[in-house]
């Protein structure tokens, strides 16, 4: 069973990684990268790193990839043609997947769930000082991103026109 | 603490190596800066997988702490790197690294 799961996750991971590198459209690359990260989260679960699996999904597949997609669409490298058979097919697949997801959610919500046996899973022992280090690192990242993303400062010689 | 690994360590390491090489090829071959960035993320994740596999093998959580920090650094790196890419795009109207040759003079 474990080996089967490993095979599924490994094939998904390698296939999606290849598609990230080989596909021409960056948006498709980013979406395949999301799938690859989810497969990696599954591998972490197999390795009994439950906390990291959750962080992988939330931080990588959630936050980082949303940032990627946002920048790709902000730069608007390639205009998507929204007509033709392929678009209709894509829209149908989207509806199908959405309905499937909704059905699964409804099924799960309609059942009563008992708390299962507790596992010995625990987050890695990240100490207090290490957590503070992490927060400082992220703060530096935020400040850097804001400063860089604000655009170039005016060169010292050029005067702005008087208001 | 826990049962021995169901999946051999060598398989996990082989998978990690394969993903790392795919990311490396992506960095070397692709010219779109965004895809290069995604390939770098792939390489970071391949290293993470090796860390977690060894943490499981050695029954120690140190590897997972490392992975946590790698993820933090990756998040900060992505924020700053994408800001740089957006700035380069504003300046040069392209994200293809072949056409970005400001330092060549």
């Amino acid at each position: 069973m474990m080996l089967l799961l490993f095979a599924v996750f490994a094939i998904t991971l390698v296939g999606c990684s290849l598609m990230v590198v080989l596909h021409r459209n960056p948006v498709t690359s980013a979406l395949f990268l999301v799938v690859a990260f989810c497969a990696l989260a599954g591998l972490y679960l197999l390795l009994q790193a439950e906390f990291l699996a959750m962080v992988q999904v939330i931080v990588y597949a959630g936050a980082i990839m949303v940032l990627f997609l946002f920048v790709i669409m902000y730069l608007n490298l390639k205009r998507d043609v929204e007509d033709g058979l392929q678009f209709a097919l894509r829209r149908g697949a989207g509806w199908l997947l959405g309905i499937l997801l909704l059905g699964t959610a409804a099924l799960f919500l309609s059942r009563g769930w008992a708390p299962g046996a507790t596992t010995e899973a625990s987050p890695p022992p990240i100490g207090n000082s290490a957590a503070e280090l992490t927060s400082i690192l992220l703060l530096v990242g935020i400040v850097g991103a804001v400063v860089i993303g604000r655009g170039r400062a005016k060169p010292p010689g050029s005067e702005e026109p008087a208001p | 603490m826990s049962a021995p690994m169901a999946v051999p360590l060598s398989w996990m390491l082989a998978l990690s190596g394969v993903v790392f090489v795919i990311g490396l090829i992506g960095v070397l071959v692709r010219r779109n800066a965004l895809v290069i960035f995604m390939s770098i993320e792939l390489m970071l994740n391949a290293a993470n997988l090796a860390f977690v596999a060894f943490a499981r093998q050695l029954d120690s959580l140190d590897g997972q702490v490392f992975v946590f920090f790698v993820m933090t650094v990756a998040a900060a790196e992505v924020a700053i790197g994408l800001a740089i890419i957006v700035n380069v795009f504003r300046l040069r109207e392209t994200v293809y690294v072949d056409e970005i040759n400001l330092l060549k003079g």
Side-chain angles (χ1 to χ4, degrees):
Chain A
M1 186 60 194
M2 287 285 204
L3 289 183
L4 183 69
L5 280 175
F6 172 78
V8 169
F9 287 137
I11 290 170
T12 312
L13 178 58
V14 172
C16 289
S17 308
L18 278 175
M19 288 304 286
V20 169
V21 172
L22 296 180
H23 207 280
R24 275 183 299 133
N25 190 349
V27 177
T28 317
S29 287
L31 292 177
F32 271 113
L33 196 56
V34 173
V35 181
F37 284 161
C38 290
L40 207 59
L43 285 171
Y44 288 169
L45 281 179
L46 278 185
L47 290 168
Q48 296 191 350
E50 289 87 357
F51 174 74
L52 285 180
M54 290 305 115
V55 171
Q56 174 85 13
V57 170
I58 294 169
V59 172
Y60 260 114
I64 291 182
M65 291 321 295
V66 165
L67 208 57
F68 260 108
L69 283 173
F70 185 78
V71 167
I72 291 171
M73 291 170 183
Y74 174 69
L75 298 185
N76 198 7
L77 298 177
K78 190 183 293 176
R79 286 196 184 280
D80 213 359
V81 278
E82 296 203 346
D83 52 23
L85 179 65
Q86 211 190 357
F87 181 66
L89 228 137
R90 256 189 280 171
R91 200 155 70 174
W95 275 106
L96 191 69
L97 278 177
I99 289 169
L100 267 177
L101 186 66
L102 207 64
T104 318
L107 183 69
F108 281 152
L109 286 178
S110 64
R111 292 166 165 243
W113 290 90
T118 53
T119 60
E120 46 186 301
S122 61
I126 298 159
N128 232 349
S129 56
E132 282 159 13
L133 206 66
T134 309
S135 62
I136 290 175
L137 183 66
L138 286 175
L139 181 67
V140 171
I142 293 167
V143 172
V146 168
V147 168
I148 295 171
R150 201 179 45 185
R152 284 199 305 167
K154 292 271 182 298
S158 69
E159 288 290 322
E160 281 195 41
Chain B
M1 169 182 138
S2 50
M5 277 172 87
V7 181
L9 175 68
S10 54
W11 292 17
M12 284 289 181
L13 292 184
L15 179 63
S16 165
V18 167
V19 175
F20 190 90
V21 169
I22 290 173
L24 189 63
I25 290 172
V27 169
L28 293 178
V29 169
R30 294 303 299 262
R31 291 178 302 133
N32 189 332
L34 289 161
V35 178
I36 289 175
F37 221 50
M38 288 186 226
S39 303
I40 292 174
E41 295 301 313
L42 269 183
M43 289 198 284
L44 282 171
N45 276 284
N48 280 354
L49 181 61
F51 267 128
V52 176
F54 272 118
R56 176 82 174 86
Q57 172 80 9
L58 302 175
D59 221 357
S60 145
L61 286 177
D62 294 350
Q64 296 193 19
V65 177
F66 262 100
V67 171
F68 185 76
F69 276 106
V70 170
M71 281 179 180
T72 316
V73 170
E77 174 222 331
V78 164
I80 294 187
L82 286 177
I84 291 174
I85 289 178
V86 168
N87 244 3
V88 167
F89 184 79
R90 277 189 198 146
L91 200 64
R92 308 284 300 204
E93 295 287 321
T94 181
V95 291
Y96 288 91
V97 289
D98 284 356
E99 300 163 19
I100 301 167
N101 48 11
L102 275 175
L103 287 186
K104 267 189 190 165

